[in-house]
Amino acid sequence: MTAHPAGNPYKIYWTTWGILLVITVAMLAAESFHMPRLFLVVFLVAFMAVKAAMIGGNFMHLRFEKSNLGIMVAAGIVVTSLILFVYITPEAQSVLAKTQR
């Protein structure tokens, strides 16, 4: 029979979950503060990146991998985001123009 280490082995998961919950509530509450739109978008994107890093690091165990794997995952997220931005921005401008008529 294998001896378990002292303490709760799931503590990191519960701590991560708690931090993610607090960040999520802060992101939901940010809309009600009526801050400038650009600041709100930067705030939300920054905290989404923090949440993605926490989930990848703790729940997907990337923090135990070599840094090359983390860099590859981050690069994939950045490239995908840029591609989506390039394709969604013109469509958003078109929709905005149609709704303001």
Side-chain angles (χ1 to χ4, degrees):
M1 190 163 159
T2 307
H4 292 286
N8 186 354
Y10 299 108
K11 182 178 179 182
I12 187 69
Y13 298 115
W14 286 109
T15 304
T16 303
W17 182 83
I19 293 169
L20 290 171
L21 179 64
V22 169
I23 292 173
T24 301
V25 169
M27 290 172 68
L28 290 170
E31 184 71 30
S32 65
F33 290 129
H34 305 294
M35 55 184 82
R37 198 74 172 158
L38 179 62
F39 181 75
L40 177 65
V41 169
V42 170
F43 174 81
L44 293 176
V45 169
F47 275 105
M48 283 191 288
V50 169
K51 288 172 60 174
M54 289 182 69
I55 290 168
N58 293 323
F59 295 123
M60 298 170 67
H61 309 289
L62 285 177
R63 66 187 176 132
F64 300 116
E65 297 293 335
K66 292 184 179 183
S67 61
N68 291 345
L69 182 60
I71 291 169
M72 286 175 42
V73 170
I77 291 171
V78 168
V79 168
T80 302
S81 299
L82 289 173
I83 290 170
L84 287 173
F85 179 76
V86 165
Y87 283 108
I88 291 174
T89 301
E91 183 65 27
Q93 295 296 330
S94 172
V95 170
L96 184 62
K98 288 177 185 178
T99 58
Q100 291 181 346
R101 287 184 193 170

